[in-house]
Amino acid sequence: MFLSVFDIFKIGVGPSSSHTMGPMIAAGRFLDLLRAGTEAIPGAGPPARVSCRLHGSLAHTGKGHATDRAVALGLCGILPESYDAAAADTALARLAAGQPLTPPGLPELAFDPDTDIAFDTGPSLPGHANGLVLMAHDARGALHAQETYYSVGGGFVLTARELEQGETSAGQAHVPYPFTTAAQMLRMARESGLSIADMKRRNEIAAGHGPGLEAGLMKLWQVMEDCIDRGLTDEGVLPGGLGVRRRASAIHRALKGEQGRNQTAPHMINDWILTYAMAVNEVNAAGGQVVTAPTNGAAGVLPATLKYWLDHVPGASRARVPDFLLTAAAMGGLIKANASISGAEMGCQGEVGSAAAMAAAGLCAVLDGSPAQIENAAEIALEHHLGMTCDPVRGLVQVPCIERNGLGAIKAVSAASLALRGDGRHLVSLDACIETMRQTGRDMDSRYKETSQGGLAVNLPEC
C-alpha cells in the first residue's frame, strides 16, 4: 500500500471530509457506474430515477454536515476538487425547481433531494459507520443498479466490495522506502542516512509524482494559507442555526494592535496559533474550500502550526514547506494504515489527534530534528489526544471543533519543542500509540463517535 502526500492532503470543500466530501465523491462514482453499465440488473430498463439511503453516522449527523446537499451535488456532477460555489447553487436551484438530472452519457434522471435521500438512523451498515447506498430504478420502478459506498475518513471512499477485499483507495506503487510502521521508518532512515521527508520524496517520485511534486506541495500550502487569510477577514454568524459567531477576525485585529508592546505576555503567542487554526475551521464550517489535513474537521491544526513557524520563528523559510508537508504526510499515512483518521471510527482522537501528530512531526522536521525526534514529537502529540470523543453539537463542525483545532495546534508546537529537548529516546513508541488509539476507538461507545448522541451534543438543552 502506498499513500501519497496527495492522498493525505486533498483540496476540498467543508464542512466534513467524511460526511460531505466522501458522499459527494460516492455520488459521482455512482454516475460512472451507471455509465459503464456493468452492474445493471438483467431485465431492467434504462435508469430513470436515482435515490440514496444514508446510514450510521451519515444518517445521525448528515443534516449538520450537509451530507444530503453533498449527495445531490455529486449526482449533479460537482466534485470536491473542482468545487465552484456558484455552480453548486445553480445546480441545487434546478433541482429545487423540479428539473431532472442531466448527467453526460446518461438519460435524464428524476431526483428530488427532499424525498429521494433517506436518513436511516437504524443500525449502521456492517462495513463502516459512514455508509450510504445509491440506487437507480427504471421507468417501471424496477431496480436497475445499486451500490454500497463507505466514506472511511479524509475523503477516502470505498465500495462494499473494495472494503471486503482490503482495498484502501491508495495506490499500489513499488517505492524504495515502503515503511508501514514507525519502527520500519526509523530503521530505513538509519540505514539510508536520509530524512523522513527525503524518503517520502523518493517514494513519491517512484510512484510517478516527481514531475510537479514541489509545485503541488506549494499549491497545497497556498490553499491552506488562503484559507487562513479568508478566515482572518470573514465575519458574521456561521450557518446551521447554533448562532456561533466567527471570532478569528476580531481576535486577529486585536493581536495586530498589540504587536510591539513591551509588556505583552509571552503566552500571547498561543493566541496567534489559536487564531490561525480557528480561521481555517470557521471557513470549513461555512462550507468553504479547505485542505484535508488529514480531515476537514481537523483542517486547521497543521496550517496553523506551519503558519506559526513561517511568521513567528526566526530563520523559517518557505523553501522548506515541502519538507514539513512530506514529513507530516508520512505520519498521517502510518496512522491511517494502522488505525483510522475517521471520527466515526476513532472519535476526535483520530481527527485532531492525528492532525496534531502530523503537525508536530512537520514542525520538528523543519526545526532540524532527527528522525527519532520527529517520531517522538508525533507520539507525544497523539498520546495526549488519546480517548478524545467526537461530539459535535447538532452535528455541526463548530462546537467544540473550531476551538479544538486551536488547542490541537498548540499541543503540536509543544510536542515538537519537547521532543527537540531530548535525543529521540522515549518509552512509548509511535506504533504503540497508534495501536492504542485503534483499540480505544474500537472500544469507544458509538454515542461518542460522530453521532451527536452523547457528550456536549446532548448536554446543551438550548441547542
Side-chain angles (χ1 to χ4, degrees), residues 407-429:
L407 273 296
I410 289 172
K411 283 187 182 181
V413 174
S414 298
S417 182
L418 183 58
L420 287 165
R421 294 291 181 181
D423 61 7
R425 290 178 293 181
H426 55 108
L427 182 62
V428 180
S429 69

Side-chain angles (χ1 to χ4, degrees), residues 178-391:
F179 53 84
T180 58
T181 67
Q184 291 174 346
M185 177 185 72
L186 291 177
R187 176 179 57 78
M188 291 179 187
R190 286 194 302 269
E191 292 174 352
S192 68
L194 296 174
S195 69
I196 294 170
D198 282 336
M199 290 194 297
K200 182 67 173 167
R201 183 177 279 109
R202 296 189 186 197
N203 285 349
E204 295 286 340
I205 292 170
H209 299 141
L213 175 61
E214 303 297 314
L217 292 170
M218 291 307 296
K219 180 182 178 182
L220 286 172
W221 169 238
Q222 189 62 60
V223 174
M224 291 180 186
E225 192 169 38
D226 289 347
C227 186
I228 293 174
D229 292 342
R230 179 178 172 187
L232 293 178
T233 57
D234 286 354
E235 297 182 340
V237 176
L238 292 170
L242 283 181
V244 174
R245 293 179 297 108
R246 297 176 187 258
R247 290 179 288 166
S249 177
I251 297 173
H252 185 246
R253 284 197 304 271
L255 289 170
K256 294 283 285 186
E258 295 165 7
Q259 277 184 319
R261 294 183 184 178
N262 292 331
Q263 294 184 339
T264 301
H267 68 257
M268 296 295 285
I269 190 61
N270 286 339
D271 293 351
W272 286 92
I273 300 170
L274 279 165
T275 304
Y276 295 147
M278 289 170 61
V280 172
N281 285 86
E282 287 175 356
V283 171
N284 179 63
Q289 187 179 63
V290 298
V291 175
T292 62
T295 67
N296 284 29
V301 176
L302 188 144
T305 306
L306 184 44
K307 179 77 167 174
Y308 156 74
W309 176 68
L310 285 171
D311 287 7
H312 299 273
V313 177
S317 168
R318 291 179 71 89
R320 296 206 65 193
V321 167
D323 287 343
F324 188 111
L325 294 177
L326 287 165
T327 304
M331 303 304 136
L334 292 177
I335 295 169
K336 177 165 175 53
N338 295 293
S340 173
I341 57 173
S342 167
E345 278 190 292
M346 295 289 110
C348 200
Q349 60 175 353
E351 295 204 41
V352 171
S354 297
M358 293 165 60
L363 179 59
C364 192
V366 296
L367 292 175
D368 297 322
S370 68
Q373 288 172 317
I374 292 167
E375 184 262 359
N376 190 15
E379 186 280 324
I380 293 170
L382 184 59
E383 178 182 332
H384 297 290
H385 284 88
L386 289 177
M388 183 173 282
T389 61
C390 182
D391 51 353

Side-chain angles (χ1 to χ4, degrees), residues 81-217:
E81 64 268 22
S82 56
Y83 180 82
D84 179 87
D89 289 343
T90 298
L92 293 174
R94 286 173 53 87
L95 291 178
Q99 297 186 38
L101 299 169
T102 56
L106 288 169
E108 287 188 350
L109 300 171
F111 174 69
D112 181 350
D114 292 333
T115 58
D116 289 324
I117 298 179
F119 292 78
D120 188 336
T121 55
S124 299
L125 296 179
H128 191 276
N130 294 331
L132 64 160
V133 180
L134 284 150
M135 295 157 284
H137 291 81
D138 65 16
R140 298 176 292 111
L143 185 65
H144 170 86
Q146 175 176 305
E147 184 61 272
T148 298
Y149 297 92
Y150 292 106
S151 179
V152 296
F156 290 87
V157 175
L158 299 171
T159 65
R161 186 181 304 109
E162 290 167 346
L163 191 67
E164 289 171 2
Q165 294 173 349
E167 296 184 30
T168 64
S169 290
Q172 301 297 323
H174 295 287
V175 296
Y177 302 99
F179 53 84
T180 58
T181 67
Q184 291 174 346
M185 177 185 72
L186 291 177
R187 176 179 57 78
M188 291 179 187
R190 286 194 302 269
E191 292 174 352
S192 68
L194 296 174
S195 69
I196 294 170
D198 282 336
M199 290 194 297
K200 182 67 173 167
R201 183 177 279 109
R202 296 189 186 197
N203 285 349
E204 295 286 340
I205 292 170
H209 299 141
L213 175 61
E214 303 297 314
L217 292 170

